[in-house]
Amino acid sequence: MKYSAIKYKDIANGEGVRNVLFVSGCTHHCKGCFQPQTWDFNAGDDWTPSLQEEFLKACEPSYIEGITFLGGEPMEEVNQAGLLPLAKEFKKRFPRKNIWCYTGYTLEEDLLSPSGKVHFNGTEEFLGLIDILVDGEFVLEKKDITLQFRGSSNQRILEKDEAGNWIPWRKKMR
């Protein structure tokens, strides 16, 4: 897996102070995308074990509420495979912190369905580690800068309930 950027102590890509990983590679190519440089699967640098350790060490302070995956597209097969070990290690070390993930794919059609576009070996395990999922492609015609943590009105913020079912995020959204 390649990544295009890391942002430490970010407050724009999920609730609270977070460390954010922008993966490389996206097949959506949304019109008006704010990160078109991340579309190329070969852009950026290789994600390495030493970089993963550095990223996880930066999550230790108590004021870091969690991490966020975006890109690019975290749910492309190569990115799921690369992010799964990171997500597992993060949850092992920081069970009270959360993982946000932004995807242009939709949960029900593309991720949960065994015939979905990006349902692979490991997808269910990866989704099981994610606490908040922002799904749906960015649609320029539905762009709304007043929305919290999303760019267009078709995108949803989802969380898991106590039974592990995905439901609309219960935080107050503008």
Side-chain angles (χ1 to χ4, degrees):
M1 175 182 83
K2 291 200 174 265
Y3 75 99
S4 64
I6 296 172
K7 290 186 180 179
Y8 294 106
K9 302 175 189 167
D10 180 88
I11 59 168
N13 296 294
E15 192 171 45
V17 180
R18 328 187 57 70
N19 292 329
V20 179
L21 176 60
F22 291 80
V23 297
S24 296
C26 183
T27 58
H28 298 294
H29 298 185
C30 299
K31 181 180 169 185
C33 174
F34 84 110
Q35 293 281 56
Q37 68 275 18
T38 66
W39 294 352
D40 182 353
F41 284 86
N42 294 309
D45 298 306
D46 290 326
W47 184 254
T48 64
S50 62
L51 189 57
Q52 177 170 305
E53 185 57 32
E54 179 183 313
F55 185 81
L56 290 167
K57 288 282 286 174
C59 296
E60 289 176 356
S62 61
Y63 62 84
I64 299 293
E65 291 190 34
I67 60 176
T68 300
F69 302 138
L70 45 97
E73 173 57 69
M75 291 301 176
E76 299 289 359
E77 184 173 17
V78 66
N79 292 331
Q80 283 188 47
L83 291 170
L84 180 57
L86 171 59
K88 287 166 71 171
E89 186 62 24
F90 176 83
K91 286 295 191 175
K92 179 180 167 187
R93 292 189 195 186
F94 311 108
R96 291 195 165 100
K97 296 186 181 197
N98 60 57
I99 299 175
W100 281 56
C101 183
Y102 284 77
T103 179
Y105 292 104
T106 56
L107 178 67
E108 297 84 1
E109 293 174 25
D110 300 319
L111 294 164
L112 291 178
S113 171
S115 61
K117 290 179 189 173
V118 288
H119 185 95
F120 307 106
N121 287 338
T123 298
E124 290 173 21
E125 183 179 13
F126 185 45
L127 285 171
L129 297 166
I130 294 169
D131 299 289
I132 305 290
L133 184 74
V134 182
D135 81 340
E137 287 189 11
F138 171 74
V139 177
L140 186 59
E141 296 75 23
K142 295 182 178 188
K143 180 178 179 178
D144 183 346
I145 62 169
T146 68
L147 295 172
Q148 189 176 30
F149 304 125
R150 46 201 173 125
S152 59
S153 60
N154 62 295
Q155 295 173 311
R156 303 179 299 172
I157 303 177
L158 305 167
E159 67 177 335
K160 285 183 258 170
D161 64 14
E162 297 76 26
N165 301 306
W166 289 98
I167 60 171
W169 193 39
R170 293 177 279 197
K171 299 283 183 170
K172 184 177 179 179
M173 293 186 297
R174 293 183 273 150

